Amino acid sequence: FGFCAHSQTQFGGIHTSIYGNNMADYTQFLADEAASLAFAQQLANMLKPSLTVYLAGDLGAGKTTLTRGLLRAWGFEGTVKSPTYTIVESYELEGFKVEHFDLYRFQSPEEWLDAGLDELFDEHTIAFIELPQMATGFVPEADLTIALSVQDAGRLCTITPHTELAQKMLAPCL
Ligand code: ADP
Ligand code: MG
């Protein structure tokens, strides 16, 4: 995989669009589900506890699939359910935990507070949030966004760091 490689052919979609904070983003085409799972394996080496990750993209874009790939890479062998109905699925891993949110069923942003979801965040946790815009103003800010969109039979994945913490973690791939 090209995510961490410097080869332009492997890492086909690299581009450095400049955000206000001068952070580059990374793009990778994922031809099929297997490619998403392999990409997740690369990504798993970079993501560290305390990060909050927004998963952007329409229904069916592959957000849950990527999260499943990350959990597999971190050694979780059980079922990875979509949190669509439960809002959050929690995973205890080796030395850290993952909280996987899907805010699809939110009726209003305040539900974030009503459900006490802030309590699930700490320095030992990596949080993944599908549809964070359903709780705008209440959901913690993201360190990075992973955006997925359908392209042909596959998916286009763009990773954008928003904080210095995230940028440092992704730096080996620059
Ligand atoms: P989301 O959580 O964004 O709604 P899912 O992860 O549930 O989406 O995936 C929806 C479908 O997309 C699944 O059938 C999955 O197999 C498929 N899929 C995931 N990644 C890819 C990919 N890179 N290329 C093609 N299909 C994919
Ligand atoms: Mg999903």
Side-chain angles (χ1 to χ4, degrees):
F1 252 99
F3 186 64
C4 233
H6 294 266
S7 156
Q8 189 70 12
T9 49
Q10 282 189 318
F11 193 177
I14 191 168
H15 65 282
T16 53
S17 70
I18 301 304
Y19 277 67
N21 49 13
N22 209 26
M23 292 183 188
D25 60 3
Y26 315 88
T27 300
Q28 174 74 52
F29 178 67
L30 305 165
D32 51 22
E33 179 166 336
S36 282
L37 296 174
F39 183 63
Q41 203 136 15
Q42 298 279 312
L43 202 54
N45 297 322
M46 279 166 259
L47 302 183
K48 301 283 185 280
S50 88
L51 282 180
T52 296
V53 181
Y54 286 177
L55 296 171
D58 295 338
L59 195 70
K63 305 179 295 294
T64 296
T65 301
L66 194 74
T67 308
R68 180 180 300 122
L70 288 164
L71 287 162
R72 288 276 175 271
W74 286 322
F76 182 79
E77 290 170 357
T79 308
V80 177
K81 281 196 302 179
S82 173
T84 310
Y85 295 100
T86 52
I87 296 175
V88 60
E89 294 287 335
S90 305
Y91 302 89
E92 289 290 342
L93 305 171
E94 295 266 320
F96 67 106
K97 67 184 173 77
V98 163
E99 302 289 352
H100 180 200
F101 300 87
D102 185 343
L103 308 188
Y104 180 75
R105 279 160 51 94
F106 266 41
Q107 303 284 338
S108 76
E110 291 79 6
E111 282 181 44
W112 182 271
L113 291 185
D114 299 342
L117 297 179
D118 275 334
E119 287 166 28
L120 298 176
F121 288 67
D122 63 32
E123 70 273 25
H124 307 296
T125 304
I126 308 181
F128 295 92
I129 310 173
E130 301 189 33
L131 302 187
Q133 68 272 22
M134 300 297 275
T136 300
F138 297 94
V139 68
E141 285 187 18
D143 293 290
L144 69 151
T145 296
I146 302 176
L148 288 151
S149 58
V150 174
Q151 182 170 292
D152 305 319
R155 304 290 187 268
L156 200 66
C157 179
T158 299
I159 300 182
T160 308
H162 305 298
T163 61
E164 221 168 288
L165 177 67
Q167 197 182 31
K168 280 201 183 108
M169 288 177 190
L170 296 167
C173 302
L174 273 171

